[in-house]
């Protein structure tokens, strides 16, 4: 039976291969399509991405160690009526030894230009699915009213004492993807 996570709750993963599924539904009548983008930041002990390819998103679907694979962009939130809109496949056995944390962030593409925010999105969640049997292990539904935020750190996988754990973060930001890149990557970003 799946665990329904609360904000800040931490669990032991106990899995090697999993899919991190992210879903959302735009409210009706809000104008332009909502293009929410799931990204993963593979972070080292300095809380930085060691090299640009460790930032996984629709423009770089695979991490260099083969541990993460982004299955593709959903520009409208309409990939699935009641399933995941974007997914990132994870194989913890392949994670580069330098990486001790993987952050999962969802940003609204062109949020300021389109005057969009999470207050106009409903049913947002992050979930962990066991790849060996397709069963949902844990799910965190974004319950708070993020009325002005344009980005949310949904959750993170992190290593403690050699074992991987998951935390439901639920931290909202009034920022875009460039903010997170500037925060976690100090090299030159190649567009």
């Amino acid at each position: 039976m799946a665990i329904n996570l609360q904000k800040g709750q931490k669990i032991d993963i106990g899995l090697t291969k999993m899919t991190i599924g992210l879903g959302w539904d735009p409210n009706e009548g809000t104008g332009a399509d909502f293009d929410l983008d799931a990204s993963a930041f593979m972070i080292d002990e300095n809380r930085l991405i060691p090299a640009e390819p460790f930032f996984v998103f629709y423009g770089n679907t695979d991490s260099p160690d083969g541990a993460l694979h982004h299955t593709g962009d959903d520009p409208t939130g309409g990939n699935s009526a009641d399933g995941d809109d974007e997914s990132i496949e994870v194989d913890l056995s392949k994670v580069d030894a330098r990486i001790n944390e993987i952050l999962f962030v969802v940003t609204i593409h062109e949020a300021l230009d389109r005057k969009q925010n999470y207050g106009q999105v409903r049913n947002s969640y992050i979930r962990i699915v066991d790849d060996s049997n397709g069963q949902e292990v844990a799910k965190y539904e974004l319950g708070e009213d993020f009325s002005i935020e344009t980005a949310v750190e949904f959750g993170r996988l992190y290593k403690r004492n050699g074992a991987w754990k998951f935390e439901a973060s639920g931290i909202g930001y009034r920022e875009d993807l460039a903010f997170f890149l500037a925060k976690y990557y100090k090299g030159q970003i190649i567009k």
Side-chain angles (χ1 to χ4, degrees), residues 6 17 36 51 77 79 81 102 109-110 120 141 157 162 174:
Q6 303 301 313
K17 293 185 177 182
L36 275 68
N79 263 8
I102 304 168
H109 184 66
E110 297 180 345
Q120 300 164 310
E141 296 180 24
L157 286 165
R174 290 182 70 183

Side-chain angles (χ1 to χ4, degrees), residues 8 11-12 30 85 103 124 128 155-156 158 164 171 180 186:
I11 60 166
D12 291 319
T30 50
D85 290 296
L103 292 178
S124 298
I128 301 168
R156 66 187 189 108
Y158 64 99
W164 285 94
I171 302 169
F180 293 97
K186 298 307 174 196

